[in-house]
Amino acid sequence: MSDGTGRSRRRWAVAFAGLALLSTLAAAGYAISSWTGAQRDASRSLLRATRLLATTVRWRLRDDHAALASLGRAIAHLPRLGRGGGYLRIGRLSRRFMAHHPTIMAWAVLGPHGSVWWRAPAGASPIPGRRDASRWARGQPAGAFRVGRSRAGRGVPLWLTGRARHHVRFLIWALWSPGLGGMVRAPTATGLSWGRGPVIAMGPSAPVPSAAVRLPIAGHRPAGRLTVDLGARAAPWFGAYRWVPGYSFAVFALRPRAAVYARAREAVHVAALWLGVVLAALAIVYRAVVRGEMRMVRERMAVERRWPQAKTEIEGIVQSLAEAVFATDCEGRIEYLNRAAEKLTGWTRSVVQGRVLCDVLPCLDEYRGNAFDPVAECLAGQAVVSGEALVFHRDGHGLAVEYDAAPRYGPSGRLTGAVLSLRDAANKRVLTERLAHQATHDPLTELGNRILFHERLERAVAEARAAGGAVALLFLDVDGFKRVNDTLGHSTGDRVLVLIAERLRRVVRTTDTLARLGGDEFAVVLPGLRTGQDALPVVHKIMAAFREPLAVALGEVVLGISIGIAVYPHDSSDSRALVRAADAAMYEAKAAGKNAYRFFASGDTGRPFGDPLTLAADLRQALERDEFSLVYQPQVRTANRQLVVMEALLRWTHPTEGVKYPGEFLGALEEAGLMIELGTWVLQSACRQNRRWRDLGLGAFPVAVNMSGDQCAHEGLAEMIDAVLQECGLRPDDLVLELSEELLVDAKDPLAERLQRLREQGVRLVVQNFGGASSTLGTLRRLRVEALKIEAALIAGIGDEYNDGVVVAIIALARALNLKVIAGGVESAAQYRFLREAACDAVQGHYVAAPLDVEAATAYLRAHEGARG
């Protein structure tokens, strides 16, 4: 371990040393390139400056030459010239000339022999070189121009010959300075030089070479670089020169070496700082890596020290598992099994260790019927394999188990074997079979339900279609069962249904399917018949079984049975049509006086919609096919049209007759005993839709549902309503139950108690169609209803004096009883105004809004979101 750690540290040290060396070389290269490039860049910059200076000096000198020539001509035309020429207006001429030519620092007029005739500015200082200039001028024509060599270092002497009108020769001397100091910035200095002669400084105020210093301008190259050494104490200057074309002097530009290398020094400092930062970062990273590696080594050593203890703990955990666990190597040989595996299979570790698992514990696929090895599949695919299988105990009996096989890997990531876990699936299978039984059987009678019935019927029809023969379908409806429920209660009714199921089991064949379709309706599928007449023995046994009374707790009950018979393929070519045919035949038996049986006649399906038998059959199918739907009509406050309640109204979309209203089928629903089932669906659908509206943020308002007499008489009404409200997350006052006035007239003690219980829970009660019957005030007081809903016929008669009086009286009665008043069927503005003036609380009708489907009602709520009370 220590040797490996040392090698790792040496590798990291070499790597980081290499990085440090590369960083140092990069910083050094950057500093050297910056230092060497500084002088090169400065030389280029100074050469460009001298080019500009030479051009400027040349043109300015030409301009001043022309100005001196003009001055000479003006002097030549003076009326008198000689000593004391100032008396002849030369002073005025001089002042004007000096004012317009700032580059001329001084000038003078000399006689033929060098005597000074006029000088500006006046002074006694000598004019250097005048004797040489006088000798030069004697051999020159008027207007000859000469640029002298500066001797004092203050300016450049200019000479111009002239001749007056009386043939008097004279010579003009001017001390000229080009004035180029503003063309460069400090610390650059500029000036003129005559090779190894004196220099004239023209640059900004900066330490520049004195006039005694000679610039090393050698040869006649038009331009070049130079270095000026000002002595031991002063640092050298770098510069450049350029000869002015056409003249005997050059312009130069100088810059101190300290200024040249200032930026280079900054670059060197930056490189040094950058190198220091990089080296510090490398040191920090190196330290962190080494520390991290040492920490990993310490952790690994700690793990290795704890491994024996951890191994013991892990083995204890595996031994305590309730699942059977096997561990194998890559060849499937058993290396380990826990106590649960020994108990499940009967094998011990000492016996099976080292043996191949599939030899000790063979697995059988129950569905495919072949043996397989889950561990081999897991190792081949290196993936988890799971499923169900049948394994065999040591003594030979089979065990249903669920298995999971997973590969296991060593520390290096190499596959080392597999782990197989087994769980006893016997209890799960029992539970699965129980759930499957509950899904296909009626919980009360233990007979098959609609699911099993349709499955068995389709299978029997398919077998009869393939092999020939016939299938008879019997639809059974118990006559008088509704009376038992109403008089003896639902518990007794349930007991009667159980007794009926037991008698039917005794009379049908073992190959037949007996099912309860709902309520008091049963069905029997008779397969394997040759003709429909072969079903009669079973029918007669059923009829005979119902002649005997049924013994219940309160006495004996005698019921009848109506049977409808349809035969495949005589009456129908498929199972669904066979169901409709048997249902129609059953209603034909009821119409014939009940307690009878009828075979299906081919013309039975052509009965009109209003026929009660056809209507009842269609209603049953409508429940199965979800042909019912709800529309919603708002109730609003009369004063401000704020939404108060959204009432749910039932509609039936008949497949051939179109939309049907409740008045067309409610009677048939009650006769068929479907009112409770459909009423529960209406209540659930309305509350769930109210919940969806609230989740959409459309406000909290109650929903109203109409209640029938069968629903109110049901014993479990309060519990059913409470369960629906809890499911939808609604409060009791979010539900309004609308009861018909006729129901209150017949309200006996059990019904009144159920309604009072609902009222105590918080459910709101409204009496609808008030004024059409003769309910008593005592009933209204006892039930503590919340509101009265005036019958639509009375609202339609508004405008008639007598009818108006009745409406006003009902409103006054409601006020006296502290009840609210709702007017239904409001169709016009006149009716609305009358009700508002009569202080009616709320209105409902097409004048406010027609009944709306879910989408339209949602749009209505969005549009009236601000008008909600």
Side-chain angles (χ1 to χ4, degrees):
M1 179 79 65
S2 60
D3 293 341
T5 304
R7 286 195 299 272
S8 177
R9 293 184 63 180
R10 285 194 294 273
R11 285 196 299 270
W12 281 112
V14 171
F16 278 97
L19 290 175
L21 178 60
L22 289 177
S23 302
T24 304
L25 292 176
Y30 176 72
I32 293 172
S33 63
S34 301
W35 192 266
T36 57
Q39 184 175 355
R40 183 179 62 253
D41 295 341
S43 299
R44 291 175 180 173
S45 174
L46 293 173
L47 281 172
R48 287 195 296 270
T50 56
R51 184 185 299 113
L52 176 62
L53 291 172
T55 303
T56 304
V57 166
R58 180 183 179 189
W59 285 106
R60 287 189 179 181
L61 192 56
R62 287 185 179 182
D63 292 343
D64 291 338
H65 175 198
L68 287 174
S70 177
L71 178 64
R73 288 191 293 273
I75 293 174
H77 287 83
L78 291 174
R80 183 182 175 190
L81 185 64
R83 291 186 180 273
Y87 297 105
L88 300 177
R89 299 191 299 271
I90 194 171
R92 189 189 313 166
L93 185 64
S94 173
R95 287 192 297 273
R96 186 168 61 250
F97 177 77
M98 294 288 286
H100 287 86
H101 298 87
T103 56
I104 303 297
M105 297 185 294
W107 71 285
V109 180
L110 305 178
H113 301 287
S115 60
V116 178
W117 290 355
W118 175 262
R119 183 170 181 166
S125 61
I127 299 174
R130 59 179 180 173
R131 294 185 183 277
D132 293 339
S134 296
R135 287 194 297 269
W136 165 78
R138 291 190 191 104
Q140 299 294 330
F145 180 75
R146 177 185 177 185
V147 178
R149 181 186 293 255
S150 175
R151 295 181 180 179
R154 293 183 296 106
V156 180
L158 304 179
W159 304 93
L160 180 73
T161 61
R163 187 184 297 273
R165 62 177 62 181
H166 301 289
H167 302 283
V168 177
R169 292 178 177 272
F170 63 91
L171 185 63
I172 298 176
W173 167 82
L175 190 61
W176 176 76
S177 176
L180 301 178
M183 297 187 64
V184 293
R185 291 181 298 178
T188 302
T190 60
L192 303 180
S193 174
W194 281 261
R196 297 188 179 276
V199 299
I200 298 177
M202 300 182 299
S205 58
V208 297
S210 65
V213 175
R214 302 295 183 261
L215 296 181
I217 299 177
H220 294 282
R221 292 169 54 189
R225 298 181 176 88
L226 54 87
T227 301
V228 179
D229 191 358
L230 299 181
R233 293 185 178 182
W237 289 50
F238 296 131
Y241 70 91
R242 184 176 298 275
W243 291 98
V244 179
Y247 299 97
S248 62
F249 59 86
V251 295
F252 65 86
L254 301 177
R255 190 174 297 171
R257 186 176 65 178
V260 171
Y261 289 119
R263 186 170 298 178
R265 282 195 299 271
E266 292 179 3
V268 171
H269 293 162
V270 170
L273 179 61
W274 175 78
L275 178 61
V277 171
V278 171
L279 293 178
L282 289 176
I284 293 172
V285 173
Y286 173 73
R287 186 176 182 184
V289 169
V290 171
R291 281 188 174 182
E293 198 163 287
M294 293 299 296
R295 184 172 58 253
M296 291 174 58
V297 170
R298 288 194 298 270
E299 292 176 354
R300 186 182 302 172
M301 294 176 65
V303 169
E304 290 179 354
R305 285 195 301 269
R306 291 185 61 247
W307 171 244
Q309 179 184 355
K311 183 177 180 181
T312 303
E313 293 177 356
I314 293 172
E315 185 173 353
I317 293 172
V318 175
Q319 287 289 351
S320 63
L321 290 177
E323 295 184 359
V325 178
F326 293 85
T328 71
D329 59 13
C330 291
E331 297 179 356
R333 299 184 182 277
I334 300 175
E335 294 181 346
Y336 174 82
L337 69 158
N338 63 354
R339 283 192 294 269
E342 294 178 350
K343 182 179 179 182
L344 180 68
T345 62
W347 295 97
T348 60
R349 181 176 179 180
S350 59
V351 174
V352 299
Q353 191 168 11
R355 298 176 61 181
V356 178
L357 178 64
C358 63
D359 296 338
V360 175
L361 195 70
C363 298
L364 179 66
D365 190 331
E366 291 185 275
Y367 301 102
R368 291 180 293 183
N370 59 336
F372 71 102
D373 186 358
V375 171
E377 294 180 5
C378 169
L379 294 174
Q382 294 191 18
V384 177
V385 178
S386 59
E388 294 183 358
L390 185 67
V391 299
F392 294 92
H393 192 269
R394 185 177 184 179
D395 60 13
H397 70 271
L399 300 170
V401 296
E402 293 179 338
Y403 67 88
D404 291 291
R408 60 189 181 97
Y409 301 91
S412 61
R414 186 172 57 87
L415 182 68
T416 58
V419 176
L420 175 68
S421 63
L422 304 177
R423 296 176 297 278
D424 190 355
N427 295 332
K428 181 180 177 181
R429 289 197 174 189
V430 171
L431 179 60
T432 303
E433 292 173 357
R434 184 183 303 159
L435 293 176
H437 179 81
Q438 292 176 356
T440 56
H441 287 75
D442 175 52
L444 178 64
T445 62
E446 291 297 323
L447 299 179
N449 58 11
R450 288 180 179 272
I451 297 175
L452 183 63
F453 162 72
H454 285 293
E455 179 185 339
R456 296 281 180 86
L457 178 61
E458 290 178 0
R459 184 191 305 171
V461 169
E463 292 175 354
R465 184 183 296 115
V471 177
L473 174 60
L474 311 183
F475 257 40
L476 287 68
D477 187 85
V478 180
D479 300 328
F481 180 74
K482 185 175 183 299
R483 184 180 69 254
V484 174
N485 261 346
D486 294 342
T487 57
L488 302 179
H490 287 280
S491 58
T492 302
D494 291 344
R495 176 58 183 167
V496 169
L497 291 175
V498 172
L499 295 176
I500 292 173
E502 293 176 355
R503 289 192 180 183
L504 291 176
R505 282 195 192 93
R506 291 197 296 266
V507 298
V508 298
R509 305 174 302 174
T510 56
T511 57
D512 300 336
T513 299
L514 175 62
R516 180 188 176 208
L517 303 183
D520 58 348
E521 293 185 348
F522 298 86
V524 182
V525 180
L526 304 177
L529 304 181
R530 291 174 296 177
T531 64
Q533 297 298 319
D534 293 342
L536 287 179
V538 178
V539 172
H540 292 155
K541 290 179 181 179
I542 294 173
M543 300 292 293
F546 273 84
R547 294 192 187 99
E548 300 178 6
L550 300 170
V552 294
L554 300 179
E556 293 183 343
V557 177
V558 178
L559 300 173
I561 187 75
S562 297
I563 304 175
I565 309 170
V567 181
Y568 171 86
H570 180 268
D571 298 325
S572 174
S573 60
D574 61 81
S575 59
R576 293 190 176 276
L578 194 66
V579 169
R580 291 194 296 271
D583 192 45
M586 184 267 293
Y587 276 97
E588 192 69 28
K590 279 187 171 295
K594 300 183 180 180
N595 200 25
Y597 67 88
R598 287 291 184 272
F599 280 93
F600 174 73
S602 59
D604 287 347
T605 58
R607 290 190 289 263
F609 177 79
D611 180 43
L613 300 178
T614 303
L615 189 57
D618 290 345
L619 286 170
R620 283 188 175 85
Q621 295 178 4
L623 277 172
E624 296 177 3
R625 300 172 181 172
D626 293 331
E627 295 176 358
F628 291 102
S629 61
L630 294 181
V631 295
Y632 298 88
Q633 190 172 28
Q635 295 176 7
V636 300
R637 284 201 178 98
T638 311
N640 53 15
R641 289 203 174 190
Q642 287 184 341
L643 179 66
V644 178
V645 175
M646 188 70 82
E647 182 177 1
L649 303 173
L650 183 63
R651 296 291 184 267
W652 175 23
T653 304
H654 193 277
T656 59
E657 301 293 333
V659 178
K660 297 298 177 183
Y661 294 88
E664 302 179 64
F665 56 83
L666 284 182
L669 274 174
E670 293 180 353
E671 285 292 329
L674 302 175
M675 184 61 76
I676 295 176
E677 183 178 355
L678 183 60
T680 303
W681 176 85
V682 170
L683 183 65
Q684 291 174 341
S685 301
C687 291
R688 289 169 182 167
Q689 184 59 48
N690 193 4
R691 179 72 267 167
R692 284 192 286 269
W693 281 331
R694 294 182 182 216
D695 293 340
L696 291 174
L698 298 179
F701 49 83
V703 64
V705 176
N706 293 289
M707 298 295 291
S708 66
D710 288 353
Q711 288 177 273
C712 293
H714 192 269
E715 288 183 355
L717 176 64
E719 291 76 9
M720 183 269 292
I721 291 177
D722 184 60
V724 171
L725 292 175
Q726 289 184 3
E727 174 194 348
C728 300
L730 301 177
R731 300 189 308 271
D733 59 353
D734 291 329
L735 177 63
V736 178
L737 301 181
E738 295 195 356
L739 313 172
S740 64
E741 190 179 14
E742 294 85 354
L743 182 63
L744 297 184
V745 173
D746 299 331
K748 302 297 187 289
D749 290 339
L751 175 59
E753 290 176 1
R754 295 189 185 99
L755 295 178
Q756 284 177 355
R757 193 185 313 164
L758 289 173
R759 192 68 184 95
E760 291 170 357
Q761 290 178 358
V763 178
R764 300 156 65 176
L765 303 180
V766 174
V767 178
Q768 63 176 348
N769 299 328
F770 189 81
S774 55
S775 59
T776 64
L777 299 181
T779 304
L780 296 177
R781 177 184 57 79
R782 187 169 73 255
L783 295 181
R784 291 187 295 168
V785 298
E786 180 181 284
L788 302 179
K789 191 172 185 179
I790 303 176
E791 187 179 15
L794 294 176
I795 302 301
I798 289 178
D800 178 74
E801 183 177 355
Y802 176 78
N803 191 89
D804 293 351
V806 174
V807 174
V808 171
I810 293 175
I811 295 174
L813 174 62
R815 289 284 178 266
L817 294 175
N818 197 23
L819 301 177
K820 296 179 181 178
V821 183
I822 305 170
V826 178
E827 305 291 336
S828 65
Q831 295 172 355
Y832 179 79
R833 286 194 298 271
F834 175 83
L835 293 168
R836 185 174 58 188
E837 293 172 358
C840 181
D841 294 294
V843 296
Q844 178 184 7
H846 282 73
Y847 178 72
V848 175
L852 309 169
D853 60 18
V854 173
E855 293 182 1
T858 304
Y860 174 87
L861 292 173
R862 293 188 191 277
H864 297 77
E865 193 168 355
R868 208 164 291 159

